[in-house]
Amino acid sequence: MQTDADLNEPLLILRDVAIGYHPSDSLVNIPNLEVFPGEIVAIAGPSGIGKSTLLRTIAGLVSPITGRLEVCGAIMPEKPPRGHLGYIPQKLGLVRHASVKHNVELGARAGIKSRKLRQQRSIEAIDIMGLSEKSAEPIRRLSGGQQRRVATARTLAQRPKLILADEFLSELDEETLTSVLEAVTDYVRESKAALIVVEHDISRAKMMADKLLVIDDGRINPFVKGTKAMEVNM
Amino acid sequence: MKTAIDGKIIASTFMISLILAFLVLNGMVSDWGRLTGGFGNLKNFFYQSLWPPDWSVLEPQVYPVCTARYPFEFTCSTAWIGVIETIKIAFVATVFGMALSLPLSLAAARNLSPRWLSYSSRFILSAFRSLPSLIWAIFFVILIGMGPLSGVLAMTVYTVGYLGKLWYEAMEGLNKTPLEAAQAMGLNKYETALNVVVPESANDLISHSIFLFEYNFRSGTIIGIVGAGGIGYYIDLYLRFLQYDKVVAYLLIIFLVVLIIDFLSIYARSFFNEEDDLRIPSWSEVFLGIFSSANEADDLSDR
């Protein structure tokens, strides 16, 4: 249960962080970034500029070159508490030979101890994503869009505090996209979680995000929704 | 692969290797004329001692008295008893080998375990694999005496060495994204192994296990020669008495059983294919396939 004090604490803090795969060649430099509960942050920019690497760094899969990175109260290299971080990679990271149910329960397993509750949450998440009829199907038999919905259901069943999603809305038709986005944003707002999403479609990024981070030439340019800068510059 | 390789480089490398192999062989062989004499000897040996096979090996033994009724008297024959015992040894050794290979292969996979654990597990697997199952069989026969238990232990050790290697290679070939997703979510190594690695590599794990069962049956015919049970015991017995026509009968029976196991394994493996549009052969096709062309067999095994 989150207290009022928790709600004022940022779920993600980056201070003078440089990211990249080689110490001598940083992709992005972030002087200061904080993400608070209930916030949706979109990261945009041309391909190959380091958006996914930034997400992978926050997920703890790549070490930052320099700087201080705090995720859900844990200062890296310490790991955030189990299940607090939800991650939807660009390639989804699903177990292709296993069923939809198995994959979604994997997320629930990370976030919930009780087996019964895990199953219940998984069924709910599968239902929200409109995949109830596909529950027993192996992932490899699903379309690209359906697989994205499974990855999203896995994260919803997990109930994390911070969701990292890499292009999770691509390959979805307009109707499905709206319902998936609505389910995720509803969860973020109601649970006071936070969502950081990499999105190549800048208009969609503007539409969903409270804060937009545009990566350009190794620097992050933040724009806050409702401000003139966001309207003029974007 | 650091540089792109085209067909010309592969072809020329292969040709150079082939020429080198012939040159090395030529250096080792002093008299090529022996080859022609060898074929003549083989022809004499074949017609005078091997052919026709003596099918009395399929008749019931005199003792113990056979209680099976017509047409099942063959179940009291040495051939049947030997084949069944070899199949039992191969089955038990494969299952035990699978159970021991799983933790060792998980520990040996470099994408799942720290370097020290990976290298020490690989060392154990290499040690198990470095000796053929026949040598392991001799070792266990000396250690615990003759009989099927020695055969089971010998083949289990070899299965662990071989299967462990095949499995950790399959696990290392896994797409890293599901593992990263599990790591980011906070799943521990045990949960990741059980819920991500095993289901994701299940096709390969099962396919390799079935292959090892086939292999164990084939090597089970050999280890019997050193007293580790199975049909090899009878082959060794008749070899000592120079009754080669009976030995040929056993070898033909083994060949038939290997064919049947081979086709059953193709059938079983067809359920664990990556692609969904592949057709699973019917049982009749599997059995009739024994008599069909080799191309079809190759086609099936490619699946």
Side-chain angles (χ1 to χ4, degrees), chain B residues 200-264:
Chain B
E200 195 65 347
S201 52
N203 283 356
D204 284 336
L205 305 191
I206 292 163
S207 183
H208 293 326
S209 306
I210 294 170
F211 169 73
L212 251 291
F213 173 69
E214 281 175 54
Y215 174 86
N216 281 340
F217 176 77
R218 284 196 297 268
S219 65
T221 60
I222 301 295
I223 63 163
I225 289 173
V226 296
I231 199 167
Y233 167 77
Y234 299 103
I235 293 174
D236 181 49
L237 187 73
Y238 289 113
L239 275 175
R240 283 170 198 267
F241 289 109
L242 307 179
Q243 293 183 328
Y244 298 119
D245 47 356
K246 285 190 177 168
V247 173
V248 167
Y250 282 120
L251 294 180
L252 288 172
I253 290 165
I254 290 168
F255 177 66
L256 183 70
V257 175
V258 166
L259 270 184
I260 293 170
I261 291 177
D262 198 26
F263 277 93
L264 289 178

Side-chain angles (χ1 to χ4, degrees), chain A residues 91 93-94 96, chain B residues 111 170-180 196 200:
Chain A
K91 290 180 182 169
L94 298 169
R96 292 183 66 247
Chain B
N111 55 342
M171 289 167 185
E172 283 180 349
L174 284 181
N175 186 331
K176 68 176 182 179
T177 331
L179 300 173
E180 287 188 347
V196 178
E200 195 65 347

Side-chain angles (χ1 to χ4, degrees), chain A residues 56 61 82-83 85 87 89 91 93-97 102 106-107 109-110 140-141 154 158, chain B residues 175-178 180-181 183-188 191 195-196 199-201 203 273-274 276:
Chain A
R56 283 167 55 79
L61 303 169
R82 182 188 162 103
L85 189 72
Y87 180 44
K91 290 180 182 169
L94 298 169
V95 185
R96 292 183 66 247
H97 298 298
H102 176 98
L106 211 56
R109 177 183 284 274
R140 62 178 197 273
R141 286 194 192 153
R154 180 181 63 189
Q158 184 188 337
Chain B
N175 186 331
K176 68 176 182 179
T177 331
E180 287 188 347
Q183 187 189 335
M185 286 190 290
L187 295 179
N188 61 36
E191 288 171 317
N195 296 291
V196 178
E200 195 65 347
S201 52
N203 283 356
N273 270 313
E274 174 76 12
D276 290 315

Side-chain angles (χ1 to χ4, degrees), chain A residues 184-202:
Chain A
V184 175
T185 49
D186 282 356
Y187 166 74
V188 169
R189 307 291 187 212
E190 283 165 17
S191 312
K192 294 293 175 196
L195 169 67
I196 302 176
V197 57
V198 166
E199 180 56 64
H200 70 276
D201 185 334
I202 205 104

Side-chain angles (χ1 to χ4, degrees), chain A residues 165-180:
Chain A
D166 198 345
E167 308 255 9
F168 81 120
L169 297 173
S170 58
E171 293 185 81
L172 297 177
D173 60 76
E174 208 51 46
E175 192 184 338
T176 317
L177 185 148
T178 310
S179 67
V180 169

Side-chain angles (χ1 to χ4, degrees), chain B:
Chain B
M1 190 67 70
K2 285 179 182 170
T3 52
I5 286 185
D6 63 18
K8 278 183 186 171
I9 296 173
I10 294 170
S12 51
T13 310
F14 179 71
M15 282 309 292
I16 291 167
S17 308
L18 203 62
I19 293 165
L20 194 67
F22 274 116
L23 288 174
V24 171
L25 179 65
N26 195 42
M28 292 191 293
V29 177
S30 55
D31 179 16
W32 284 102
R34 286 167 62 183
L35 261 183
T36 50
F39 283 123
N41 290 342
L42 181 65
K43 193 179 165 190
N44 288 340
F45 179 59
F46 185 83
Y47 284 112
Q48 287 171 20
S49 304
L50 297 181
W51 206 261
D54 182 353
W55 294 111
S56 65
V57 296
L58 281 169
E59 289 169 8
Q61 297 177 94
V62 179
Y63 184 83
V65 177
C66 184
T67 51
R69 294 182 176 219
Y70 178 83
F72 298 108
E73 294 103 327
F74 68 91
T75 57
C76 301
S77 67
T78 55
W80 177 264
I81 291 167
V83 164
I84 294 298
E85 190 168 85
T86 305
I87 289 175
K88 283 178 185 170
I89 291 171
F91 171 74
V92 174
T94 309
V95 173
F96 285 175
M98 286 166 70
L100 293 168
S101 294
L102 185 62
L104 272 169
S105 53
L106 286 166
R110 269 184 293 196
N111 55 342
L112 304 172
S113 302
R115 191 170 286 198
W116 67 268
L117 183 60
S118 168
Y119 284 135
S120 48
S121 307
R122 281 165 189 237
F123 179 79
I124 295 169
L125 293 174
S126 296
F128 284 179
R129 207 171 52 247
S130 60
L131 296 179
S133 46
L134 184 65
I135 306 294
W136 282 115
I138 293 171
F139 174 76
F140 282 110
V141 165
I142 294 167
L143 205 69
I144 59 170
M146 290 167 71
L149 184 59
S150 299
V152 165
L153 291 173
M155 277 202 279
T156 301
V157 171
Y158 190 73
T159 301
V160 172
Y162 208 125
L163 199 58
K165 181 182 167 63
L166 291 173
W167 279 8
Y168 80 65
E169 282 180 351
M171 289 167 185
E172 283 180 349
L174 284 181
N175 186 331
K176 68 176 182 179
T177 331
L179 300 173
E180 287 188 347
Q183 187 189 335
M185 286 190 290
L187 295 179
N188 61 36
K189 294 269 182 194
Y190 172 76
E191 288 171 317
T192 306
L194 206 67
N195 296 291
V196 178
V197 176
V198 172
E200 195 65 347
S201 52
N203 283 356
D204 284 336
L205 305 191
I206 292 163
S207 183
H208 293 326
S209 306
I210 294 170
F211 169 73
L212 251 291
F213 173 69
E214 281 175 54
Y215 174 86
N216 281 340
F217 176 77
R218 284 196 297 268
S219 65
T221 60
I222 301 295
I223 63 163
I225 289 173
V226 296
I231 199 167
Y233 167 77
Y234 299 103
I235 293 174
D236 181 49
L237 187 73
Y238 289 113
L239 275 175
R240 283 170 198 267
F241 289 109
L242 307 179
Q243 293 183 328
Y244 298 119
D245 47 356
K246 285 190 177 168
V247 173
V248 167
Y250 282 120
L251 294 180
L252 288 172
I253 290 165
I254 290 168
F255 177 66
L256 183 70
V257 175
V258 166
L259 270 184
I260 293 170
I261 291 177
D262 198 26
F263 277 93
L264 289 178
S265 107
I266 291 166
Y267 184 82
R269 277 184 285 171
S270 65
F271 287 97
F272 303 100
N273 270 313
E274 174 76 12
E275 304 302 330
D276 290 315
D277 54 350
L278 290 172
R279 190 175 57 86
I280 293 169
S282 68
W283 281 100
S284 59
E285 278 176 302
V286 168
F287 283 109
L288 290 171
I290 293 169
F291 306 105
S292 68
S293 69
N295 288 343
E296 194 182 338
D298 289 341
D299 187 29
L300 279 169
S301 51
D302 285 342
R303 295 174 186 182

